[in-house]
Amino acid sequence: MLKTLKVMAAGLALSLLTAMSAHAAASCGDGSGKAAEGEPIVIGAITGKTGPDDFSNSTKAAKAYFDCLNANGGIKGRPIKYVVEDDQWNPETAAQLGAKIVNDEKAVLMVGNSSYVECGANAEFYKKSGIYVIAGVGVPRECFFAENYAPTNAGPRVSMLGAMGYALDKLNAKSVACIGPNIPNVGTWSCEGVALLAKEKGFKADVILMDPGSADATSVILQAAASKPDVIVLGMSKGVAVPLLTAAEEQGLNQTITFLSAASAYDLSVPATIGSGWDGKFFVNMEFNDLEADTPDNKNWLAVMDEYGQESDPRDTFAQAGYLAARIAEKALMTLDPNNITRETASAAVRQVKDFKSDIFCAPWYFGDGQPRHNANSTTRMAVSEGGKWKVVSDCAPSPDPELKDIRAFEATMK
């Protein structure tokens, strides 16, 4: 029954978005409508499509944008050949695929990556190979602590801390339980951030790590609720978070505990799927703009998805991330001589991206040339489930993650 409701809600959300954006024409490249016919520029990506959940929405959106770009002149006449591989949530597979794309396909950049395991498997390899990554969705800590790896999203820890900051400031929370996946440098890293912020405020946080592929949702929820926290913060993908919320409602916990989540649960289908029992009681962090925002770039993202993506491709926060990653790559490559686009020149161009503005971001995105790590997106919004939809309830606010001190210091030098 739950699966049927999810499918129906997702279909309704897609229909509404298609109707909203069908009148807009996708804008990409030089807008000439002339297909690029030169020598292809190889760009790679690794994503976790098969496994505990389909985590490939970023690469689907990046592909849609690159297809649009190729139909409108490409990079000064040269089309993008976008090579996407599925790591199946397996680090060994991710490492093999990384070597294939870099060594065999001779990619000049990696763009739109979205995986729970790929950063840890490949970050050092990318550095040794001299290839840069404009990721769509970084998840583990390695995605944000690597010299050659720069995601467009905020990441689970920064996003969860954004949610936790809202719980402290607006919901008067005095106790918390954090649920994260037991994936190395994902759940522990993120929930430790929540616990650290709670400690700074003078109260204890409980941390529960779960296997996203096989854990019993009811057992996990009861464990988290045992200490009777004011709020429970989730750091799971949408496909795992929804069953947790269903289990919580079955136990009546939606009446006594407020639930919050990282941006991974920010999908148009979720409010209708979880139902009215969560109205005003389930808050999510938004790493990007409202999915239905009537702003130029957000409307263009939707138009690109409608015209060049598949109808089944989700229009969610991770799709926004992939679209932005592709746009940033386009901006970098457009600065180059089309006859001299190599891994070296492409890498140098990415390092010089300093002020990429989009109404989908809260603040301009930058690479941070010379910095040992990258987390440019760290200013986020919040929304609440209400009436089968998301209602935005906050303006853009910096994440209170204590680990961002070095990022804030670098940004101060950029003014």
Side-chain angles (χ1 to χ4, degrees):
M1 183 65 172
L2 176 60
K3 182 177 181 181
T4 302
L5 288 173
K6 289 173 69 176
V7 172
M8 291 175 60
L12 176 61
L14 283 173
S15 298
L16 290 172
L17 277 177
T18 300
M20 180 183 74
S21 59
H23 66 278
S27 175
C28 313
D30 60 17
S32 64
K34 182 178 179 181
E37 298 178 346
E39 180 184 357
I41 301 166
V42 180
I43 291 177
I46 295 177
T47 189
K49 181 173 176 57
T50 56
D53 198 9
D54 184 347
F55 205 58
S56 64
N57 299 351
S58 172
T59 51
K60 290 173 183 174
K63 181 183 184 302
Y65 188 81
F66 285 141
D67 286 349
C68 181
L69 175 63
N70 289 343
N72 288 275
I75 302 297
K76 299 179 180 178
R78 295 183 62 181
I80 299 296
K81 178 185 176 184
Y82 192 42
V83 180
V84 181
E85 299 286 357
D86 174 18
D87 65 20
Q88 303 171 45
W89 292 54
N90 185 313
E92 292 183 1
T93 303
Q96 294 167 0
L97 295 174
K100 174 185 174 183
I101 292 173
V102 173
N103 296 332
D104 299 340
E105 296 285 350
K106 306 298 183 184
V108 300
L109 287 175
M110 301 289 285
V111 176
N113 294 32
S114 176
S115 169
Y116 273 76
V117 300
E118 188 263 342
C119 301
N122 290 330
E124 281 301 313
F125 169 70
Y126 292 145
K127 182 177 179 180
K128 292 177 181 177
S129 301
I131 192 168
Y132 279 69
V133 185
I134 306 170
V137 185
V139 182
R141 187 178 186 274
E142 291 92 342
C143 296
F144 302 91
F145 281 80
E147 186 176 330
N148 286 38
Y149 211 107
T152 61
N153 73 318
R157 175 175 166 128
V158 168
S159 187
M160 290 175 75
L161 267 293
M164 187 62 202
Y166 183 85
L168 293 171
D169 296 340
K170 303 298 182 180
L171 305 179
N172 197 34
K174 300 297 183 184
S175 55
V176 60
C178 181
I179 301 177
N182 61 351
I183 297 173
N185 284 331
V186 179
T188 301
W189 174 54
S190 299
C191 283
E192 280 180 350
V194 171
L196 180 59
L197 183 62
K199 183 178 179 180
E200 287 185 355
K201 300 298 181 180
F203 60 86
K204 179 178 175 289
D206 290 323
V207 173
I208 294 92
L209 301 181
M210 62 173 283
D211 183 342
S214 61
D216 179 73
T218 300
S219 297
V220 172
I221 283 297
L222 290 176
Q223 183 182 356
S227 62
K228 298 182 179 179
D230 293 332
V231 298
I232 292 177
V233 181
L234 306 177
M236 313 302 299
S237 64
K238 176 191 70 175
V240 180
V242 168
L244 289 173
L245 294 172
T246 300
E249 185 172 8
E250 290 173 350
Q251 299 297 319
L253 298 176
N254 58 323
Q255 301 299 321
T256 58
I257 301 173
T258 300
F259 282 66
L260 302 98
S261 173
S264 47
Y266 182 55
D267 178 284
L268 289 179
S269 69
V270 168
T273 299
I274 60 179
S276 61
W278 289 100
D279 283 2
K281 299 170 184 176
F282 181 51
F283 295 80
V284 295
N285 184 256
M286 302 162 59
E287 296 179 322
F288 303 107
N289 203 350
D290 179 5
L291 294 170
E292 300 179 285
D294 188 23
T295 54
D297 208 19
N298 198 66
K299 290 195 294 184
N300 188 54
W301 159 60
L302 292 169
V304 167
M305 297 301 295
D306 288 346
E307 191 170 344
Y308 294 92
Q310 302 296 316
E311 185 176 351
S312 59
D313 292 346
R315 277 64 162 167
D316 66 359
T317 189
F318 296 146
Q320 288 175 315
Y323 166 84
L324 290 167
R327 288 274 318 279
I328 293 167
E330 174 195 21
K331 177 177 180 177
L333 294 175
M334 283 292 193
T335 65
L336 301 176
D337 176 350
N339 297 315
N340 186 32
I341 296 180
T342 65
R343 188 174 297 172
E344 292 73 20
T345 60
S347 297
V350 167
R351 291 196 299 270
Q352 294 307 307
V353 177
K354 297 179 180 178
D355 191 29
F356 181 87
K357 294 178 181 177
S358 169
D359 53 60
I360 300 176
F361 281 126
C362 271
W365 190 92
Y366 61 90
F367 179 78
D369 189 19
Q371 295 304 297
R373 78 181 195 95
H374 309 280
N375 210 145
N377 183 354
S378 58
T379 303
T380 61
R381 301 175 175 88
M382 292 293 296
V384 67
S385 181
E386 188 170 291
K389 296 182 178 181
W390 292 115
K391 177 182 177 182
V392 180
V393 292
S394 77
D395 294 326
C396 294
S399 172
D401 185 358
E403 197 174 53
L404 289 172
K405 291 179 180 178
D406 59 330
I407 298 294
R408 302 288 184 232
F410 175 72
E411 290 173 349
T413 68
M414 296 175 63
K415 300 182 181 179

